[in-house]
Amino acid sequence: MVSLIAKHALSGQAPLALQDLHFQIEDLGPITSIAPFNGQESALNAVLEAGHGLRFPVPNTSTQQAVAKLLWSGRGQAFLVGVAPDARLAAHAAVTDQSDGWVTLGLEGARAEAVLARLVAVDLRLTACPVGASLRAQVQHIPALIHRAAPQVFHIMVMRSFGQSAWHEVSEAMRGVAAR
Amino acid sequence: MRLSCPLCGPRDRREFYYYGSDDYLNRPHSDPQADASSGGWSDAWEDYLHLRDNPAGRLRDLWYHEGGCGAWLAVTRDTSTHQVFDVALVVDLKGKAGS
């Protein structure tokens, strides 16, 4: 039996710190997409409450219980991150492991908003994008899920194959902001 | 041009992929017996595939929010003033008359 070695899409990438800005790879643990079947939303919510203490998020938001988070990720879909999914969810939703398919980049700092303003055509200021917000947008032209984990912390999730490009775009924008 | 996605909110037009007229929502029914004699072709299919209105004014067409939530949208807009009247989720139109 061949033993496969898991390799991160950005393995070996060192964190980048420029002045107060900090950029690094985040490990959110397991990532599972949860897409409720038609008419199963309330049954799914009951299982989510029982198994994870979470409710399915409304668009552009997330719900959290300790390390478990449910991030809205598109129409009729959310990503469960941090914990393995309760087996009972599969009766009410399409449950798909996405752990190796996505790369999460963490951007932290008082000027993180200014960095992302160069890349994302959505208002990410705290008033329009509160802590917990989880929205789909493009980083340059890369489809991404942007989650505000804390007032000065953004998690940028992109598909694995875009990891290197997303790292490049954000780090270049960081250099631009830091040079001002 | 900006479209207000019912899920994501107002977004730039570049996040959206244009598909075409909302005629695509009205796919003709297939009738196996009638198809056997006509070879599957009918005036309804002719209309569905080839005939489009080209109004200077209000029209509804389909857009895909590929840079966002991945929803199909029915956008009602005016081709002469560029005003956008309404953006609706196609999934919510399912089963409604005339959609």
Side-chain angles (χ1 to χ4, degrees), chain B residues 45-91:
Chain B
W45 277 105
E46 172 91 11
D47 292 354
Y48 174 77
L49 285 174
H50 302 304
L51 296 184
R52 294 289 178 269
D53 292 332
N54 185 21
R58 197 180 271 246
L59 129 146
R60 191 167 77 165
D61 41 22
L62 304 180
W63 297 73
Y64 179 63
H65 197 185
E66 63 175 355
C69 60
W72 279 101
L73 306 171
V75 177
T76 309
R77 63 194 177 94
D78 193 303
T79 55
S80 50
T81 65
H82 303 302
Q83 186 180 353
V84 175
F85 300 103
D86 183 55
V87 182
L89 292 174
V90 167
V91 69

Side-chain angles (χ1 to χ4, degrees), chain A residues 38 59-60 72-76 121-122 135-138 141 143-144, chain B residues 7-9 11-12 14-15 66-72 89 91 94:
Chain A
N38 267 347
N60 305 313
W72 183 80
S73 63
R75 186 181 77 79
V122 177
L135 52 95
R136 296 302 303 261
Q138 291 176 322
H141 287 174
Chain B
L7 299 176
C8 299
R11 294 292 181 94
D12 190 87
R14 285 169 293 182
E15 287 189 11
E66 63 175 355
C69 60
W72 279 101
L89 292 174
V91 69
K94 207 156 64 176

Side-chain angles (χ1 to χ4, degrees), chain A residues 64-94:
Chain A
Q64 181 173 11
Q65 180 67 47
V67 295
K69 279 185 182 180
L70 203 48
L71 311 173
W72 183 80
S73 63
R75 186 181 77 79
Q77 190 193 68
F79 282 175
L80 178 66
V81 300
V83 292
D86 190 300
R88 292 169 294 174
L89 293 172
H92 309 291

Side-chain angles (χ1 to χ4, degrees), chain A residues 107-164:
Chain A
L107 177 64
E108 182 174 358
R111 289 185 292 169
E113 285 173 9
V115 172
L116 288 177
R118 295 183 171 218
L119 304 169
V120 182
V122 177
D123 188 353
L124 295 177
R125 288 173 297 178
L126 200 54
T127 45
C129 175
V131 174
S134 172
L135 52 95
R136 296 302 303 261
Q138 291 176 322
V139 175
Q140 290 290 48
H141 287 174
I142 303 168
L145 188 161
I146 297 170
H147 170 56
R148 187 174 213 134
Q152 296 187 5
V153 180
F154 288 94
H155 287 169
I156 303 152
M157 298 174 71
V158 296
M159 282 176 266
R160 181 191 175 94
S161 54
F162 289 122
Q164 203 81 51

